[in-house]
Amino acid sequence: MSLSTNPVPAGDIRDKLIIGLDVPSVEEARSVVDRIGDAGTFYKIGYQLAYAGGFEFARDLIGQGKKVFLDLKLHDIGNTVEEGVRSVTRLGATFLTVHAYPQTMRAAVAGKAGTDLKILAVTVLTSYDDNDLVEAGYAPVTAAELVARRAAQARDLNVDGIVCAATEAERVRSIVGPGRLIVTPGIRPAGADAGDQKRIVTPAEGIRLGANHLVVGRPIVKAADPRAAAEAIMREIVDVKA
């Protein structure tokens, strides 16, 4: 089955899949997007591509009718974050990440005021587990406890959504309520290499656990056929939502 010949439901469920363009150049990113074609509608640009011409490429994608998630994980003094977010609003991106520290989140919300940009608060990176938090000085707080605390703070500061591992999505949903977004990285199709991710689930599990959007990078962009890989994940999502 091809998603291009079998339309997805109204509202374009394809937006639930955010494809991470974790590649080193705009040329490679453009090639991936071209190969995926209309099977992909939403793309994430992180550090690697952003600092290699990715901001202008984001404008190109938006001009083509695609949605863009700028995964910049901003964290700095309040004024710097607020003005940085204000600059990002001019790009036309859909999502922007900041680290879930109260001062940072408060500044980001102020910076995006009056625009359609949605701020997502990154709780605990999906490459972290409890041992990593001990090493970082957070002990005796566990990853799950820190995610919950930061989700509650984000809710109280009127942040638009949360980035967390899908394994924590149910608990986060109970904290932030139905009106906020939950975006989950660390998604790996069954049998895929986990790489540096530690708190991972399959696409179907991510949707069942309550995620609004799934972020999938390497399993798609490094696939021999990126379009087929994206379509396979979309079939999982469609099956869960049916």
Side-chain angles (χ1 to χ4, degrees):
M1 180 178 74
S2 170
L3 291 174
S4 60
T5 58
N6 294 274
V8 296
D12 208 341
I13 201 169
R14 288 175 298 180
D15 285 353
K16 288 190 170 295
L17 173 61
I18 301 176
I19 299 169
L21 293 174
D22 302 321
V23 296
S25 69
V26 168
E27 292 72 23
E28 189 170 344
R30 185 173 286 114
S31 174
V32 169
V33 171
D34 288 346
R35 292 175 70 191
I36 292 172
D38 61 3
T41 61
F42 209 151
Y43 289 92
K44 178 182 79 72
I45 294 176
Y47 291 164
Q48 183 181 24
L49 184 58
Y51 299 142
F55 292 113
E56 286 305 312
F57 184 59
R59 293 184 193 275
D60 292 344
L61 288 174
I62 293 164
Q64 295 169 28
K66 307 292 187 183
K67 293 183 178 180
V68 171
F69 168 13
L70 289 177
D71 188 18
L72 302 182
K73 299 182 181 71
L74 300 182
H75 180 50
D76 210 313
I77 65 172
N79 182 71
T80 298
V81 171
E82 182 174 345
E83 295 303 327
V85 170
R86 191 164 286 124
S87 294
V88 168
T89 63
R90 302 185 190 111
L91 286 173
T94 299
F95 294 162
L96 169 69
T97 50
V98 303
H99 277 291
Y101 291 81
Q103 184 183 106
T104 297
M105 293 188 287
R106 191 177 294 111
V109 169
K112 71 102 179 188
T115 74
D116 293 330
L117 178 67
K118 295 190 181 302
I119 301 297
L120 304 178
V122 177
T123 52
V124 176
L125 298 175
T126 52
S127 62
Y128 278 37
D129 58 18
D130 292 348
N131 290 330
D132 294 304
L133 290 180
V134 169
E135 187 177 22
Y138 284 97
V141 177
T142 66
E145 290 167 343
L146 187 55
V147 167
R149 178 188 301 173
R150 289 179 166 174
Q153 291 171 327
R155 175 201 63 207
D156 294 344
L157 292 169
N158 205 30
V159 173
D160 299 293
I162 303 295
V163 176
C164 65
T167 51
E168 292 134 10
E170 279 189 305
R171 185 177 186 189
V172 167
R173 179 63 70 199
S174 71
I175 293 167
V176 302
R180 285 186 172 78
L181 297 166
I182 296 178
V183 178
T184 59
I187 301 296
R188 290 290 184 270
D193 182 11
D196 55 1
Q197 303 286 358
K198 294 180 179 177
R199 303 187 334 274
I200 63 173
V201 301
T202 65
E205 288 170 328
I207 294 297
R208 289 191 189 102
L209 289 167
N212 299 99
H213 300 273
L214 309 178
V215 180
V216 184
R218 283 165 285 185
I220 294 176
V221 302
K222 300 299 184 184
D225 185 341
R227 181 186 180 96
E231 288 181 333
I233 292 170
M234 277 308 313
R235 284 195 289 274
E236 282 198 52
I237 294 173
V238 170
D239 287 346
V240 173
K241 299 299 286 186

mmCIF file with all atom_site columns, all heavy atoms in Angstrom, residues 118-137:
data_model
loop_
_atom_site.group_PDB
_atom_site.id
_atom_site.type_symbol
_atom_site.label_atom_id
_atom_site.label_alt_id
_atom_site.label_comp_id
_atom_site.label_asym_id
_atom_site.label_entity_id
_atom_site.label_seq_id
_atom_site.pdbx_PDB_ins_code
_atom_site.Cartn_x
_atom_site.Cartn_y
_atom_site.Cartn_z
_atom_site.occupancy
_atom_site.B_iso_or_equiv
_atom_site.pdbx_formal_charge
_atom_site.auth_seq_id
_atom_site.auth_comp_id
_atom_site.auth_asym_id
_atom_site.auth_atom_id
_atom_site.pdbx_PDB_model_num
ATOM 1   N N   . LYS A 1 118 ? 4.453  27.445 18.147 1.00 0.00 ? 118 LYS A N   1
ATOM 2   C CA  . LYS A 1 118 ? 4.176  26.689 19.368 1.00 0.00 ? 118 LYS A CA  1
ATOM 3   C C   . LYS A 1 118 ? 5.499  26.320 20.043 1.00 0.00 ? 118 LYS A C   1
ATOM 4   O O   . LYS A 1 118 ? 6.407  25.780 19.400 1.00 0.00 ? 118 LYS A O   1
ATOM 5   C CB  . LYS A 1 118 ? 3.341  25.452 19.070 1.00 0.00 ? 118 LYS A CB  1
ATOM 6   C CG  . LYS A 1 118 ? 1.939  25.804 18.554 1.00 0.00 ? 118 LYS A CG  1
ATOM 7   C CD  . LYS A 1 118 ? 1.045  24.608 18.502 1.00 0.00 ? 118 LYS A CD  1
ATOM 8   C CE  . LYS A 1 118 ? -0.340 24.987 17.954 1.00 0.00 ? 118 LYS A CE  1
ATOM 9   N NZ  . LYS A 1 118 ? -0.989 26.025 18.764 1.00 0.00 ? 118 LYS A NZ  1
ATOM 10  N N   . ILE A 1 119 ? 5.567  26.618 21.334 1.00 0.00 ? 119 ILE A N   1
ATOM 11  C CA  . ILE A 1 119 ? 6.757  26.322 22.121 1.00 0.00 ? 119 ILE A CA  1
ATOM 12  C C   . ILE A 1 119 ? 6.601  24.943 22.758 1.00 0.00 ? 119 ILE A C   1
ATOM 13  O O   . ILE A 1 119 ? 5.573  24.648 23.387 1.00 0.00 ? 119 ILE A O   1
ATOM 14  C CB  . ILE A 1 119 ? 6.968  27.373 23.227 1.00 0.00 ? 119 ILE A CB  1
ATOM 15  C CG1 . ILE A 1 119 ? 7.123  28.765 22.618 1.00 0.00 ? 119 ILE A CG1 1
ATOM 16  C CG2 . ILE A 1 119 ? 8.171  27.004 24.099 1.00 0.00 ? 119 ILE A CG2 1
ATOM 17  C CD1 . ILE A 1 119 ? 8.334  28.929 21.727 1.00 0.00 ? 119 ILE A CD1 1
ATOM 18  N N   . LEU A 1 120 ? 7.625  24.114 22.584 1.00 0.00 ? 120 LEU A N   1
ATOM 19  C CA  . LEU A 1 120 ? 7.657  22.787 23.200 1.00 0.00 ? 120 LEU A CA  1
ATOM 20  C C   . LEU A 1 120 ? 8.778  22.757 24.227 1.00 0.00 ? 120 LEU A C   1
ATOM 21  O O   . LEU A 1 120 ? 9.919  23.124 23.927 1.00 0.00 ? 120 LEU A O   1
ATOM 22  C CB  . LEU A 1 120 ? 7.913  21.707 22.143 1.00 0.00 ? 120 LEU A CB  1
ATOM 23  C CG  . LEU A 1 120 ? 6.944  21.643 20.962 1.00 0.00 ? 120 LEU A CG  1
ATOM 24  C CD1 . LEU A 1 120 ? 7.383  20.546 20.001 1.00 0.00 ? 120 LEU A CD1 1
ATOM 25  C CD2 . LEU A 1 120 ? 5.514  21.413 21.433 1.00 0.00 ? 120 LEU A CD2 1
ATOM 26  N N   . ALA A 1 121 ? 8.457  22.320 25.425 1.00 0.00 ? 121 ALA A N   1
ATOM 27  C CA  . ALA A 1 121 ? 9.437  22.247 26.503 1.00 0.00 ? 121 ALA A CA  1
ATOM 28  C C   . ALA A 1 121 ? 10.052 20.849 26.549 1.00 0.00 ? 121 ALA A C   1
ATOM 29  O O   . ALA A 1 121 ? 9.337  19.856 26.673 1.00 0.00 ? 121 ALA A O   1
ATOM 30  C CB  . ALA A 1 121 ? 8.778  22.575 27.841 1.00 0.00 ? 121 ALA A CB  1
ATOM 31  N N   . VAL A 1 122 ? 11.372 20.795 26.452 1.00 0.00 ? 122 VAL A N   1
ATOM 32  C CA  . VAL A 1 122 ? 12.094 19.523 26.517 1.00 0.00 ? 122 VAL A CA  1
ATOM 33  C C   . VAL A 1 122 ? 12.306 19.186 27.991 1.00 0.00 ? 122 VAL A C   1
ATOM 34  O O   . VAL A 1 122 ? 12.966 19.920 28.713 1.00 0.00 ? 122 VAL A O   1
ATOM 35  C CB  . VAL A 1 122 ? 13.447 19.623 25.793 1.00 0.00 ? 122 VAL A CB  1
ATOM 36  C CG1 . VAL A 1 122 ? 14.224 18.314 25.922 1.00 0.00 ? 122 VAL A CG1 1
ATOM 37  C CG2 . VAL A 1 122 ? 13.235 19.977 24.330 1.00 0.00 ? 122 VAL A CG2 1
ATOM 38  N N   . THR A 1 123 ? 11.752 18.071 28.414 1.00 0.00 ? 123 THR A N   1
ATOM 39  C CA  . THR A 1 123 ? 11.811 17.692 29.826 1.00 0.00 ? 123 THR A CA  1
ATOM 40  C C   . THR A 1 123 ? 13.149 17.019 30.141 1.00 0.00 ? 123 THR A C   1
ATOM 41  O O   . THR A 1 123 ? 14.033 17.631 30.722 1.00 0.00 ? 123 THR A O   1
ATOM 42  C CB  . THR A 1 123 ? 10.630 16.774 30.170 1.00 0.00 ? 123 THR A CB  1
ATOM 43  O OG1 . THR A 1 123 ? 10.591 15.678 29.238 1.00 0.00 ? 123 THR A OG1 1
ATOM 44  C CG2 . THR A 1 123 ? 9.312  17.542 30.114 1.00 0.00 ? 123 THR A CG2 1
ATOM 45  N N   . VAL A 1 124 ? 13.296 15.764 29.755 1.00 0.00 ? 124 VAL A N   1
ATOM 46  C CA  . VAL A 1 124 ? 14.557 15.030 29.931 1.00 0.00 ? 124 VAL A CA  1
ATOM 47  C C   . VAL A 1 124 ? 14.873 14.357 28.601 1.00 0.00 ? 124 VAL A C   1
ATOM 48  O O   . VAL A 1 124 ? 14.022 13.669 28.032 1.00 0.00 ? 124 VAL A O   1
ATOM 49  C CB  . VAL A 1 124 ? 14.442 13.969 31.044 1.00 0.00 ? 124 VAL A CB  1
ATOM 50  C CG1 . VAL A 1 124 ? 15.726 13.150 31.145 1.00 0.00 ? 124 VAL A CG1 1
ATOM 51  C CG2 . VAL A 1 124 ? 14.129 14.635 32.382 1.00 0.00 ? 124 VAL A CG2 1
ATOM 52  N N   . LEU A 1 125 ? 16.072 14.563 28.109 1.00 0.00 ? 125 LEU A N   1
ATOM 53  C CA  . LEU A 1 125 ? 16.457 13.994 26.818 1.00 0.00 ? 125 LEU A CA  1
ATOM 54  C C   . LEU A 1 125 ? 16.281 12.482 26.812 1.00 0.00 ? 125 LEU A C   1
ATOM 55  O O   . LEU A 1 125 ? 16.547 11.809 27.816 1.00 0.00 ? 125 LEU A O   1
ATOM 56  C CB  . LEU A 1 125 ? 17.913 14.336 26.505 1.00 0.00 ? 125 LEU A CB  1
ATOM 57  C CG  . LEU A 1 125 ? 18.246 15.829 26.372 1.00 0.00 ? 125 LEU A CG  1
ATOM 58  C CD1 . LEU A 1 125 ? 19.758 16.000 26.193 1.00 0.00 ? 125 LEU A CD1 1
ATOM 59  C CD2 . LEU A 1 125 ? 17.494 16.472 25.230 1.00 0.00 ? 125 LEU A CD2 1
ATOM 60  N N   . THR A 1 126 ? 15.845 11.947 25.659 1.00 0.00 ? 126 THR A N   1
ATOM 61  C CA  . THR A 1 126 ? 15.601 10.505 25.578 1.00 0.00 ? 126 THR A CA  1
ATOM 62  C C   . THR A 1 126 ? 16.886 9.687  25.566 1.00 0.00 ? 126 THR A C   1
ATOM 63  O O   . THR A 1 126 ? 16.830 8.458  25.643 1.00 0.00 ? 126 THR A O   1
ATOM 64  C CB  . THR A 1 126 ? 14.760 10.152 24.340 1.00 0.00 ? 126 THR A CB  1
ATOM 65  O OG1 . THR A 1 126 ? 15.352 10.734 23.175 1.00 0.00 ? 126 THR A OG1 1
ATOM 66  C CG2 . THR A 1 126 ? 13.340 10.658 24.501 1.00 0.00 ? 126 THR A CG2 1
ATOM 67  N N   . SER A 1 127 ? 18.031 10.332 25.470 1.00 0.00 ? 127 SER A N   1
ATOM 68  C CA  . SER A 1 127 ? 19.306 9.615  25.593 1.00 0.00 ? 127 SER A CA  1
ATOM 69  C C   . SER A 1 127 ? 19.750 9.512  27.051 1.00 0.00 ? 127 SER A C   1
ATOM 70  O O   . SER A 1 127 ? 20.793 8.913  27.345 1.00 0.00 ? 127 SER A O   1
ATOM 71  C CB  . SER A 1 127 ? 20.394 10.332 24.778 1.00 0.00 ? 127 SER A CB  1
ATOM 72  O OG  . SER A 1 127 ? 20.612 11.641 25.280 1.00 0.00 ? 127 SER A OG  1
ATOM 73  N N   . TYR A 1 128 ? 18.960 10.092 27.972 1.00 0.00 ? 128 TYR A N   1
ATOM 74  C CA  . TYR A 1 128 ? 19.283 10.058 29.400 1.00 0.00 ? 128 TYR A CA  1
ATOM 75  C C   . TYR A 1 128 ? 18.487 8.967  30.102 1.00 0.00 ? 128 TYR A C   1
ATOM 76  O O   . TYR A 1 128 ? 17.305 8.749  29.807 1.00 0.00 ? 128 TYR A O   1
ATOM 77  C CB  . TYR A 1 128 ? 18.927 11.392 30.063 1.00 0.00 ? 128 TYR A CB  1
ATOM 78  C CG  . TYR A 1 128 ? 19.941 12.490 29.927 1.00 0.00 ? 128 TYR A CG  1
ATOM 79  C CD1 . TYR A 1 128 ? 20.678 12.643 28.757 1.00 0.00 ? 128 TYR A CD1 1
ATOM 80  C CD2 . TYR A 1 128 ? 20.151 13.402 30.955 1.00 0.00 ? 128 TYR A CD2 1
ATOM 81  C CE1 . TYR A 1 128 ? 21.602 13.668 28.619 1.00 0.00 ? 128 TYR A CE1 1
ATOM 82  C CE2 . TYR A 1 128 ? 21.071 14.443 30.831 1.00 0.00 ? 128 TYR A CE2 1
ATOM 83  C CZ  . TYR A 1 128 ? 21.793 14.568 29.662 1.00 0.00 ? 128 TYR A CZ  1
ATOM 84  O OH  . TYR A 1 128 ? 22.699 15.580 29.531 1.00 0.00 ? 128 TYR A OH  1
ATOM 85  N N   . ASP A 1 129 ? 19.126 8.315  31.070 1.00 0.00 ? 129 ASP A N   1
ATOM 86  C CA  . ASP A 1 129 ? 18.413 7.454  31.993 1.00 0.00 ? 129 ASP A CA  1
ATOM 87  C C   . ASP A 1 129 ? 18.761 7.904  33.414 1.00 0.00 ? 129 ASP A C   1
ATOM 88  O O   . ASP A 1 129 ? 19.415 8.938  33.610 1.00 0.00 ? 129 ASP A O   1
ATOM 89  C CB  . ASP A 1 129 ? 18.731 5.970  31.757 1.00 0.00 ? 129 ASP A CB  1
ATOM 90  C CG  . ASP A 1 129 ? 20.220 5.641  31.887 1.00 0.00 ? 129 ASP A CG  1
ATOM 91  O OD1 . ASP A 1 129 ? 20.974 6.453  32.474 1.00 0.00 ? 129 ASP A OD1 1
ATOM 92  O OD2 . ASP A 1 129 ? 20.625 4.567  31.417 1.00 0.00 ? 129 ASP A OD2 1
ATOM 93  N N   . ASP A 1 130 ? 18.313 7.161  34.407 1.00 0.00 ? 130 ASP A N   1
ATOM 94  C CA  . ASP A 1 130 ? 18.536 7.573  35.796 1.00 0.00 ? 130 ASP A CA  1
ATOM 95  C C   . ASP A 1 130 ? 20.017 7.725  36.120 1.00 0.00 ? 130 ASP A C   1
ATOM 96  O O   . ASP A 1 130 ? 20.417 8.634  36.870 1.00 0.00 ? 130 ASP A O   1
ATOM 97  C CB  . ASP A 1 130 ? 17.880 6.572  36.753 1.00 0.00 ? 130 ASP A CB  1
ATOM 98  C CG  . ASP A 1 130 ? 16.359 6.594  36.678 1.00 0.00 ? 130 ASP A CG  1
ATOM 99  O OD1 . ASP A 1 130 ? 15.821 7.536  36.060 1.00 0.00 ? 130 ASP A OD1 1
ATOM 100 O OD2 . ASP A 1 130 ? 15.734 5.688  37.237 1.00 0.00 ? 130 ASP A OD2 1
ATOM 101 N N   . ASN A 1 131 ? 20.851 6.847  35.566 1.00 0.00 ? 131 ASN A N   1
ATOM 102 C CA  . ASN A 1 131 ? 22.285 6.934  35.834 1.00 0.00 ? 131 ASN A CA  1
ATOM 103 C C   . ASN A 1 131 ? 22.888 8.223  35.276 1.00 0.00 ? 131 ASN A C   1
ATOM 104 O O   . ASN A 1 131 ? 23.764 8.834  35.900 1.00 0.00 ? 131 ASN A O   1
ATOM 105 C CB  . ASN A 1 131 ? 23.002 5.722  35.233 1.00 0.00 ? 131 ASN A CB  1
ATOM 106 C CG  . ASN A 1 131 ? 22.683 4.439  35.966 1.00 0.00 ? 131 ASN A CG  1
ATOM 107 O OD1 . ASN A 1 131 ? 22.418 4.447  37.165 1.00 0.00 ? 131 ASN A OD1 1
ATOM 108 N ND2 . ASN A 1 131 ? 22.695 3.326  35.250 1.00 0.00 ? 131 ASN A ND2 1
ATOM 109 N N   . ASP A 1 132 ? 22.400 8.642  34.113 1.00 0.00 ? 132 ASP A N   1
ATOM 110 C CA  . ASP A 1 132 ? 22.888 9.887  33.528 1.00 0.00 ? 132 ASP A CA  1
ATOM 111 C C   . ASP A 1 132 ? 22.498 11.081 34.390 1.00 0.00 ? 132 ASP A C   1
ATOM 112 O O   . ASP A 1 132 ? 23.261 12.051 34.525 1.00 0.00 ? 132 ASP A O   1
ATOM 113 C CB  . ASP A 1 132 ? 22.332 10.070 32.116 1.00 0.00 ? 132 ASP A CB  1
ATOM 114 C CG  . ASP A 1 132 ? 22.857 9.028  31.152 1.00 0.00 ? 132 ASP A CG  1
ATOM 115 O OD1 . ASP A 1 132 ? 24.090 8.907  31.024 1.00 0.00 ? 132 ASP A OD1 1
ATOM 116 O OD2 . ASP A 1 132 ? 22.035 8.336  30.535 1.00 0.00 ? 132 ASP A OD2 1
ATOM 117 N N   . LEU A 1 133 ? 21.313 11.030 34.993 1.00 0.00 ? 133 LEU A N   1
ATOM 118 C CA  . LEU A 1 133 ? 20.875 12.126 35.859 1.00 0.00 ? 133 LEU A CA  1
ATOM 119 C C   . LEU A 1 133 ? 21.709 12.180 37.137 1.00 0.00 ? 133 LEU A C   1
ATOM 120 O O   . LEU A 1 133 ? 22.007 13.270 37.655 1.00 0.00 ? 133 LEU A O   1
ATOM 121 C CB  . LEU A 1 133 ? 19.392 11.984 36.194 1.00 0.00 ? 133 LEU A CB  1
ATOM 122 C CG  . LEU A 1 133 ? 18.431 12.230 35.024 1.00 0.00 ? 133 LEU A CG  1
ATOM 123 C CD1 . LEU A 1 133 ? 16.990 12.062 35.484 1.00 0.00 ? 133 LEU A CD1 1
ATOM 124 C CD2 . LEU A 1 133 ? 18.624 13.616 34.422 1.00 0.00 ? 133 LEU A CD2 1
ATOM 125 N N   . VAL A 1 134 ? 22.101 11.023 37.646 1.00 0.00 ? 134 VAL A N   1
ATOM 126 C CA  . VAL A 1 134 ? 22.996 11.003 38.806 1.00 0.00 ? 134 VAL A CA  1
ATOM 127 C C   . VAL A 1 134 ? 24.315 11.683 38.439 1.00 0.00 ? 134 VAL A C   1
ATOM 128 O O   . VAL A 1 134 ? 24.831 12.533 39.178 1.00 0.00 ? 134 VAL A O   1
ATOM 129 C CB  . VAL A 1 134 ? 23.250 9.555  39.269 1.00 0.00 ? 134 VAL A CB  1
ATOM 130 C CG1 . VAL A 1 134 ? 24.388 9.519  40.301 1.00 0.00 ? 134 VAL A CG1 1
ATOM 131 C CG2 . VAL A 1 134 ? 21.980 8.957  39.862 1.00 0.00 ? 134 VAL A CG2 1
ATOM 132 N N   . GLU A 1 135 ? 24.850 11.329 37.289 1.00 0.00 ? 135 GLU A N   1
ATOM 133 C CA  . GLU A 1 135 ? 26.109 11.916 36.833 1.00 0.00 ? 135 GLU A CA  1
ATOM 134 C C   . GLU A 1 135 ? 25.992 13.430 36.649 1.00 0.00 ? 135 GLU A C   1
ATOM 135 O O   . GLU A 1 135 ? 26.951 14.179 36.890 1.00 0.00 ? 135 GLU A O   1
ATOM 136 C CB  . GLU A 1 135 ? 26.541 11.255 35.520 1.00 0.00 ? 135 GLU A CB  1
ATOM 137 C CG  . GLU A 1 135 ? 27.916 11.676 35.042 1.00 0.00 ? 135 GLU A CG  1
ATOM 138 C CD  . GLU A 1 135 ? 28.329 10.949 33.774 1.00 0.00 ? 135 GLU A CD  1
ATOM 139 O OE1 . GLU A 1 135 ? 27.445 10.451 33.045 1.00 0.00 ? 135 GLU A OE1 1
ATOM 140 O OE2 . GLU A 1 135 ? 29.537 10.888 33.503 1.00 0.00 ? 135 GLU A OE2 1
ATOM 141 N N   . ALA A 1 136 ? 24.798 13.895 36.254 1.00 0.00 ? 136 ALA A N   1
ATOM 142 C CA  . ALA A 1 136 ? 24.574 15.319 36.028 1.00 0.00 ? 136 ALA A CA  1
ATOM 143 C C   . ALA A 1 136 ? 24.230 16.076 37.303 1.00 0.00 ? 136 ALA A C   1
ATOM 144 O O   . ALA A 1 136 ? 24.034 17.293 37.270 1.00 0.00 ? 136 ALA A O   1
ATOM 145 C CB  . ALA A 1 136 ? 23.457 15.505 35.006 1.00 0.00 ? 136 ALA A CB  1
ATOM 146 N N   . GLY A 1 137 ? 24.119 15.360 38.417 1.00 0.00 ? 137 GLY A N   1
ATOM 147 C CA  . GLY A 1 137 ? 23.880 16.020 39.688 1.00 0.00 ? 137 GLY A CA  1
ATOM 148 C C   . GLY A 1 137 ? 22.433 16.139 40.106 1.00 0.00 ? 137 GLY A C   1
ATOM 149 O O   . GLY A 1 137 ? 22.110 16.897 41.023 1.00 0.00 ? 137 GLY A O   1
#
